[in-house]
Each structure stands twice: as C-alpha cells, then as structure tokens.
Amino acid sequence: MDSFLDHFALLGFVFGCISWILNFWGIVGIIAVVFSVLGLNHRLEGTGKVIAIIGLVSGIINIIYGLSALLTL
C-alpha cells in the first residue's frame, strides 16, 4: 500500500475514541467497527494495523456497553 496509514483504519480509530465519550447506545461503536474492519481488509501492516485493531476493540467494547445500558432502561 502506498500510503503510510489507511484512511479506513484511521476513521475506525477516531470513531473508536469518540465512542468512549459519545456512545449513543452503541451506534458510534458500530461505525468504529465497520471502518476498522474495512481498514483491516486492506492487508495493513505495522502502525495501520495496530490503529485498526484499537478502533475495532474500542468499538466492540462500546457496543457491548451501549447494549447493556439500553437493556437496563
């Protein structure tokens, strides 16, 4: 890949970080997971892969948190 950092991986990371502040019942976490998976599908290596995985894990954790908060209402 020509670019140092994949745009989808970076978007997944950014939305993963935003989902820690603004959860909206897991919707932002779902967006983070989608972009992170799209970034990982580009066969990333190095920093791009790490950033995509961080976005993926953050998104999944916040989806679980959002669903648990929604179910306890």
Side-chain angles (χ1 to χ4, degrees):
M1 178 154 254
D2 294 325
S3 67
F4 175 73
L5 195 61
D6 187 58
H7 298 295
F8 288 122
L10 185 61
L11 281 172
F13 177 75
V14 168
F15 279 114
C17 291
I18 291 173
S19 70
W20 287 103
I21 299 168
L22 303 171
N23 197 343
F24 298 122
W25 301 285
I27 294 172
V28 181
I30 292 171
I31 296 170
V33 168
V34 168
F35 280 122
S36 295
V37 168
L38 287 173
L40 285 172
N41 282 337
H42 288 152
R43 296 186 183 103
L44 297 175
E45 296 177 358
T47 306
K49 187 173 185 176
V50 171
I51 287 179
I53 291 172
I54 291 171
L56 182 68
V57 171
S58 295
I60 290 172
I61 289 171
N62 283 295
I63 290 170
I64 293 170
Y65 173 74
L67 289 176
S68 66
L70 187 63
L71 293 175
T72 57
L73 288 178

